[in-house]
Amino acid sequence: MKKIKQKFELLAPAGSFPNLIAAVNAGADAVYFGLQNFSMRASAKNFTINDLDKMREICNSSSRKPKMYLTLNTIIYDDELKKIEKIIKEVKRKVDAVICWDFAIVQLCKKYKIPFFISTQASVANSETAKFYKKLGAKRIILARELNLKQIKKISKII
């Protein structure tokens, strides 16, 4: 039987500077956050691109130096594509990865060589879909929320 190497990461949401500071101080290994106008967490304050340097300073002030993951997992319309490309170009060396599910964002991450994770919004619920995203270059796949632990273990063994 293939042994699964597990690396756990404590990932915390950071919808505002107070939330970011709390996550860093609590020992998070990574934080995820959205940008204004492109976040599934509409109730969060969210951040701007100009905030990223200050966010990195806060993360680097901790001995753990948590990673920063930008979520771009909303629906992206044609009239937003140029803005999204501009955002991705601007965050290239400021974030550790982008969490997404839209193929336009996946393509842009690949174009600008930014690691990307597949969001739970993609509803990956089987091994074939997981293998597809892995072949596309996804560094991590967040499986569908509807899966139970047995299903997650089965998919993990296959990919």
Side-chain angles (χ1 to χ4, degrees), residues 16-30:
S16 65
F17 277 106
N19 294 138
L20 173 66
I21 292 165
V24 169
N25 290 341
D29 298 308

Side-chain angles (χ1 to χ4, degrees), residues 76-159:
I76 304 299
Y77 297 100
D78 278 331
D79 61 345
E80 297 172 320
L81 289 171
K82 286 183 182 175
K83 188 171 185 178
I84 283 291
E85 183 165 11
K86 183 179 181 218
I87 288 169
I88 289 175
K89 285 192 318 193
E90 288 185 47
V91 303
K92 179 174 172 125
R93 290 184 177 82
K94 296 177 183 263
V95 300
D96 296 291
V98 171
I99 300 172
C100 61
W101 64 272
D102 185 282
F103 285 115
I105 295 176
V106 168
Q107 287 178 307
L108 289 168
C109 287
K110 290 174 68 140
K111 178 179 178 179
Y112 293 103
K113 296 178 175 49
I114 299 173
F116 64 93
F117 303 160
I118 299 301
S119 170
T120 190
Q121 296 300 115
S123 295
V124 176
N126 62 70
S127 58
E128 288 302 311
T129 303
K131 286 191 276 189
F132 171 79
Y133 282 116
K134 185 177 180 180
K135 191 173 183 179
L136 270 179
K139 301 297 181 197
R140 184 175 298 171
I141 301 162
I142 298 104
L143 298 173
R145 294 177 214 134
E146 296 81 5
L147 295 175
N148 62 41
L149 189 55
K150 183 178 176 182
Q151 292 167 314
I152 291 169
K153 285 181 180 179
K154 183 178 178 184
I155 292 170
S156 297
K157 286 179 184 177
I158 294 170
I159 59 165

Side-chain angles (χ1 to χ4, degrees), residues 31-57:
V31 294
Y32 66 94
F33 58 91
L35 295 175
Q36 292 172 353
N37 302 321
F38 290 104
S39 175
M40 293 294 293
R41 295 174 173 263
S43 63
K45 183 178 182 294
N46 294 308
F47 296 96
T48 67
I49 289 176
N50 294 332
D51 293 328
L52 295 178
D53 290 332
K54 183 177 178 184
M55 293 171 70
R56 180 60 72 189
E57 281 180 35

